[in-house]
Amino acid sequence: MGPRGPFPDGAAAGLTGGPLERQWLHYALLSRSGDVAVIANLSTLGADRPDEPAHRRGIVLAHDQESGWEASQFNARQQQVPWSSFRLPQPRAAQGGKGPFNVAAVSGSPALEVTLRSTSQACTSQCAPFGDGEFLRWQSEPGVLGAGMVTVHGRSRWVELTGYHERVRGRWSWPALGGWVFGFVNAPHSERADSAADSSAAENVQGPPPAAVVFTLIQPRFPDDAANGSVMLWREGRLWRHFPRRCLQMAVDGALARDDVVLVPPLAGLLDTPSCATVPGRLVISARMGQDHLLLDFTSRTAGRIANPCERGLRPFSVHETLGPCRVEARVSGRHLEFETQGIVEFAGGADDL
């Protein structure tokens, strides 16, 4: 029952409300060893005119610890129906959540040819209204597992991955949106496996991460009270605690060296793209609600800057896909949780700068 998804039938049918209508599927994955990261964004943008088709776009970024960042243009090859756990009937019910996911640059590198599998429940949909009737709606799911071939700088290898998937839709202009800070971390499976004393340890690696954190802060340009966001904590694949915006505090410190920020897609460097804003060197988020609390401490190591063209201005909307180590400490319902792992954080904005 219901639309097949991952978006409502009306939204997926045409996006004829203009170029500010947007919907996308986002995938962010890290290798178990932390030395490879892959990020893909598959989007459908509203048609320029009612009698024209919507625009389908895609970009894939990959980072290898030895060779650095590589990215496609916004014309990455993708499946006609890409894998998503938000489809009906749900993939997890049909095949344990498994399905092929392929995306690649036209040149062949970077490329991702893997099987993805859902292990966790998605959060409830969240919505941020702002501007002049504009809005952004998103739904998040950590604990996505994958395995297959990843190609970076022409070198292909088999990689086991753990990551995140989300769907986003709405209608907004980049200047009105302002910016966002978003990120996720999945606790290493090794923490659960190391604590197991029987043969089920290997099976645990195929289950959901022992814990996961997803956080979002939307910072629209106006009205003044439009800031929105949350911090969510998963335990064993189930949403354990949701901290709303009013329960959060966020601080940044230092700056990532500009030599550690790579501009993508490749053509962006030829289009007189202005210098990027400073990427924080460290991000600390504190969430507290009653006796429950969570602390996340992320350190930036490197970033790929995606320069998105802006429909209502000359400055691009820059999304800095930032990699680095992260430490999480929490106490919820009297239970203590603590782990260290690699994470991905997005620092986005810039189109509203005057």
Side-chain angles (χ1 to χ4, degrees):
M1 298 180 65
R4 294 186 62 84
F7 300 101
D9 289 339
L15 291 182
T16 57
L20 298 186
E21 287 196 14
R22 313 174 194 272
Q23 62 186 37
W24 69 63
L25 297 173
H26 184 71
Y27 309 79
L29 305 159
L30 287 161
S31 65
R32 298 279 174 86
S33 59
D35 60 338
V36 174
V38 184
I39 300 156
N41 206 70
L42 310 180
S43 60
T44 303
L45 310 179
D48 297 325
R49 297 180 179 85
D51 60 342
E52 295 182 355
H55 303 283
R56 196 176 185 197
R57 298 288 184 265
I59 185 171
V60 57
L61 297 79
H63 180 272
D64 184 280
Q65 199 161 3
E66 296 181 0
S67 56
W69 288 96
E70 186 183 28
S72 71
Q73 307 289 354
F74 284 112
N75 62 347
R77 293 172 176 164
Q78 57 181 286
Q79 299 157 282
Q80 186 63 33
V81 182
W83 178 92
S84 176
S85 56
F86 297 111
R87 297 190 186 279
L88 292 176
Q90 294 180 350
R92 62 170 65 89
Q95 302 177 6
K98 288 184 179 181
F101 179 68
N102 305 322
V103 59
V106 173
S107 64
S109 182
L112 187 65
E113 187 175 352
V114 299
T115 297
L116 297 182
R117 184 162 63 89
S118 172
T119 68
S120 303
Q121 293 182 342
C123 70
T124 55
S125 178
Q126 302 178 78
C127 186
F130 54 87
D132 186 13
E134 300 171 58
F135 72 97
L136 184 153
R137 183 183 295 274
W138 72 98
Q139 190 173 17
S140 309
E141 180 181 338
V144 174
L145 304 184
M149 300 302 295
V150 175
T151 301
V152 189
H153 292 287
R155 176 190 173 211
S156 300
R157 57 170 166 153
W158 179 273
V159 179
E160 292 188 345
L161 303 157
T162 304
Y164 167 91
H165 176 44
E166 84 174 344
R167 58 177 172 177
V168 178
R169 70 180 182 95
R171 183 182 186 279
W172 69 85
S173 66
W174 293 119
L177 177 58
W180 70 63
V181 179
F182 153 83
F184 79 92
V185 288
N186 289 298
H189 282 83
S190 58
E191 294 196 0
R192 184 198 288 116
D194 290 345
S195 64
D198 54 30
S199 60
S200 65
E203 297 179 2
N204 287 332
V205 178
Q206 301 304 316
V213 177
V214 176
F215 60 89
T216 308
L217 175 63
I218 308 294
Q219 301 170 298
R221 188 173 183 180
F222 68 95
D224 293 338
D225 61 349
N228 205 330
S230 65
V231 170
M232 295 174 289
L233 173 65
W234 275 257
R235 179 174 176 267
E236 302 291 346
R238 294 180 177 271
L239 184 61
W240 196 18
R241 181 64 75 238
H242 181 284
F243 297 93
R245 173 70 182 91
R246 65 179 181 274
C247 298
L248 312 182
Q249 290 184 319
M250 183 177 299
V252 296
D253 180 50
L256 183 64
R258 289 189 181 272
D259 288 344
D260 294 324
V261 181
V262 178
L263 177 64
V264 299
L267 285 177
L270 304 178
L271 300 178
D272 196 28
T273 303
S275 301
C276 65
T278 299
V279 177
R282 183 184 178 193
L283 170 70
V284 178
I285 298 177
S286 175
R288 179 175 292 275
M289 187 165 59
Q291 297 299 312
D292 296 341
H293 61 86
L294 180 147
L295 181 70
L296 181 145
D297 191 342
F298 173 83
T299 301
S300 302
R301 178 169 53 85
T302 183
R305 176 198 178 193
I306 306 175
N308 294 281
C310 178
E311 299 89 346
R312 292 188 172 178
L314 297 178
R315 295 186 62 85
F317 184 85
S318 295
V319 180
H320 299 87
E321 302 285 0
T322 310
L323 311 178
C326 185
R327 181 177 64 87
V328 173
E329 184 176 353
R331 179 171 290 276
V332 174
S333 299
R335 296 185 178 184
H336 181 75
L337 172 71
E338 185 173 357
F339 64 90
E340 295 185 11
T341 187
Q342 298 293 311
I344 298 179
V345 173
E346 291 182 352
F347 298 101
D352 59 334
D353 293 343
L354 301 178

